[in-house]
Amino acid sequence: MIAVLGLLAGVALGLVFQPDVPVGLEPYLPIAVVAALDAVFGGLRAYLDGIFDDKVFVVSFVSNVVIAAGIVYLGDRLGVGGQLSTGVVVVLGIRIFTNAAAIRRHVFHA
């Protein structure tokens, strides 16, 4: 529950202050957001399953963002940034939809 409140507070603060993203980091922001959403949906699923651990959530959140950004950075250095970005989004998107389906089944018992 704390994670959801933190996410809502972060979104609200972002809307109020509208921070500027440095130009050099702009290609990594969408990937970082998708990676963070994957961790949030995974945390919500774990919470509903009764196995949520805050330490695991924090490590998952940070490591997802760092690894996804690292893969995109490596792709940029190799000249295939777009392809690796697409790959990261597809993999994390599949995980997000898998977790969303599990959450839906848990909430609606269907």
Side-chain angles (χ1 to χ4, degrees), residues 21-29 72-73 76-77:
V21 178
V23 175
L25 296 179
E26 283 181 358
Y28 307 104
L29 183 62
V72 174
Y73 176 78
D76 285 345
R77 294 292 129 220

Side-chain angles (χ1 to χ4, degrees), residues 46-89:
Y47 176 77
L48 292 174
D49 289 341
I51 57 172
F52 180 80
D53 183 6
D54 55 345
K55 292 176 187 174
V56 172
F57 173 75
V58 170
V59 169
S60 172
F61 188 91
V62 172
S63 65
N64 274 5
V65 171
V66 169
I67 291 169
I71 289 171
V72 174
Y73 176 78
L74 179 63
D76 285 345
R77 294 292 129 220
L78 295 173
V80 292
Q83 291 88 344
L84 282 180
S85 295
T86 302
V88 169
V89 169

Side-chain angles (χ1 to χ4, degrees), residues 13-54:
L13 288 171
L15 292 173
V16 169
F17 292 111
Q18 297 181 354
D20 292 327
V21 178
V23 175
L25 296 179
E26 283 181 358
Y28 307 104
L29 183 62
I31 302 300
V33 169
V34 171
L37 284 173
D38 174 49
V40 169
F41 276 94
L44 182 57
R45 178 183 182 180
Y47 176 77
L48 292 174
D49 289 341
I51 57 172
F52 180 80
D53 183 6
D54 55 345

